[in-house]
Amino acid sequence: MSKVVVLTGGVGGAKLVLGLSHIVAGADLTAIVNTGDDFRHLGLHVSPDIDTLLYTLSGKANAQQGWGREGESWAFMEALRELGGEDWFLLGDGDLALHVLRSDALARGETLSQITAGFAARWGIGTRILPMSDDPVATMLDTDEGRLAFQRYFVERRCAPAVSAIDFAGASSAVPAGGVEEAILAADAVIVAPSNPFLSVDPLLAVPAIRAALARTAAPVVAVSPLVGGQAVKGPTAKLMGELGIAVDNDAIARHYAGVIDGLLIDSGDDCGVAGLAIGRCPTLMSSLDDKVRVARAALALAEGLRP
Ligand code: FO1
């Protein structure tokens, strides 16, 4: 399959993109990344999902932690604490360099897309990494503790508040970053990574022109379910689904993506009974690199079988 697009956010998504990058050469693979988690912190622009992908594809990721860099030092955080600065969001020294450079470049008028492409080139990453938009979009949650910005909910409050609604401020007027629509329309397959559908994939789908491109593309759109045995592999997906009154199963994932996907790849031990959707199965847990490549191959095979 020559041209593949993957919609991704967070650590689960980055694992699948890494698997895909071992099958799809260079810029034939385009990752369109959630920026709803982006925020300004200590005057810096932080883009967590883009950075998780940059670190993963360049071999710099702290795989155990799921974010940030391996072998990181923490002198900045220590100095910050000593001065009484806000320390709920951890910025390692190497990670900090990325945020400083990004913030400086944004202030000089560069776009997030240009800056991301620059980092990727510097680290020899062949996969094309595109932010979903260069316009600001912010994931916001209505909770029993009030309205919270994503990182306040996710990191500061460790997903403890009960969520009643999620919205993506700025998404309805956001324009896709350059190349996003073109990549979706020219793709042979579009894969939706096993990222949190409600927090990591929905921000992309909330950008009207991205949703429209997904509806228009001739390419099959295949999602990889984030659930294994009725549990989310990582993070708040299952807790969130419960709070939103959604059953924690693949039928609910399929219904959530109705009108967007043509196929759903689920774990070998699981089921999905939603009619009109092609179902693929493989062990979807991605620990080793072999696992990631296996899931990537299974997603591409499901898409290949759906090509007109
Ligand atoms: N996640 C945490 O749980 N605690 C942190 O202190 C933290 C810092 C952090 C810094 C940079 C970065 O790129 C990501 C960071 N993350 C942290 C992860 C981040 O909140 C999540 O990966 C995503 O936003 C969810 O996909």
Side-chain angles (χ1 to χ4, degrees):
M1 199 165 296
S2 51
K3 292 196 182 314
V4 175
V5 164
V6 54
L7 310 185
T8 180
V11 62
K15 287 180 179 182
L16 183 70
V17 182
L18 181 61
L20 285 166
S21 74
H22 283 254
I23 305 168
V24 182
D28 279 346
L29 177 63
T30 300
I32 304 176
V33 187
N34 171 39
T35 56
D37 296 12
D38 290 22
F39 75 132
R40 267 196 102 69
H41 184 57
L42 304 173
L44 301 171
H45 182 106
V46 183
S47 284
D49 287 358
I50 287 177
D51 294 349
T52 297
L53 195 54
L54 285 169
Y55 293 147
T56 301
L57 295 180
S58 63
K60 295 180 186 350
N62 183 330
Q64 223 173 352
Q65 191 171 245
W67 53 271
R69 296 178 65 148
E70 191 62 62
E72 189 60 283
S73 60
W74 298 95
F76 169 74
M77 285 308 298
E78 280 165 32
L80 189 79
R81 275 191 200 107
E82 206 179 278
L83 289 165
E86 270 191 62
D87 67 351
W88 60 273
F89 193 80
L90 302 177
L91 296 175
D93 298 336
D95 192 35
L96 183 64
L98 205 63
H99 309 313
V100 168
L101 289 177
R102 176 191 291 120
S103 307
D104 182 52
L106 283 169
R108 282 186 284 102
E110 281 187 49
T111 64
L112 187 59
S113 313
Q114 290 167 335
I115 298 161
T116 304
F119 290 144
R122 181 88 193 171
W123 283 341
I125 296 170
T127 299
R128 201 151 67 114
I129 303 177
L130 300 178
M132 65 187 202
S133 177
D134 285 322
D135 300 329
V137 175
T139 298
M140 301 294 300
L141 300 102
D142 290 334
T143 77
D144 57 358
E145 296 182 9
R147 190 163 164 82
L148 296 175
F150 178 82
Q151 298 296 344
R152 292 277 175 187
Y153 161 78
F154 192 84
V155 173
E156 189 177 36
R157 294 295 300 116
R158 306 245 157 254
C159 309
V163 176
S164 51
I166 306 167
D167 65 274
F168 309 105
S172 62
S173 58
V175 173
V180 165
E181 287 170 279
E182 294 83 345
I184 293 171
L185 294 174
D188 297 304
V190 177
I191 311 294
V192 181
S195 309
N196 186 312
F198 309 90
L199 294 174
S200 296
V201 180
D202 275 2
L204 286 114
L205 303 180
V207 176
I210 294 184
R211 189 176 269 272
L214 290 168
R216 259 176 63 211
T217 185
V221 181
V222 163
V224 180
S225 172
L227 302 178
V228 176
Q231 299 280 321
V233 175
K234 200 174 180 290
T237 308
K239 175 177 179 284
L240 197 65
M241 290 174 84
E243 288 161 3
L244 296 174
I246 302 167
V248 186
D249 58 26
N250 285 318
D251 286 23
I253 301 289
R255 277 194 290 268
H256 184 71
Y257 285 141
V260 175
I261 62 169
D262 307 298
L264 183 66
L265 180 69
I266 63 175
D267 189 70
S268 305
D270 291 346
D271 275 316
C272 181
V274 170
L277 194 66
I279 300 297
R281 282 187 175 78
C282 86
T284 54
L285 210 60
M286 292 183 282
S287 304
S288 66
L289 179 60
D290 282 354
D291 293 338
K292 295 170 184 107
V293 174
R294 179 194 62 239
V295 177
R297 275 196 205 293
L300 292 176
L302 181 57
E304 182 70 49
L306 291 168
R307 262 152 62 95

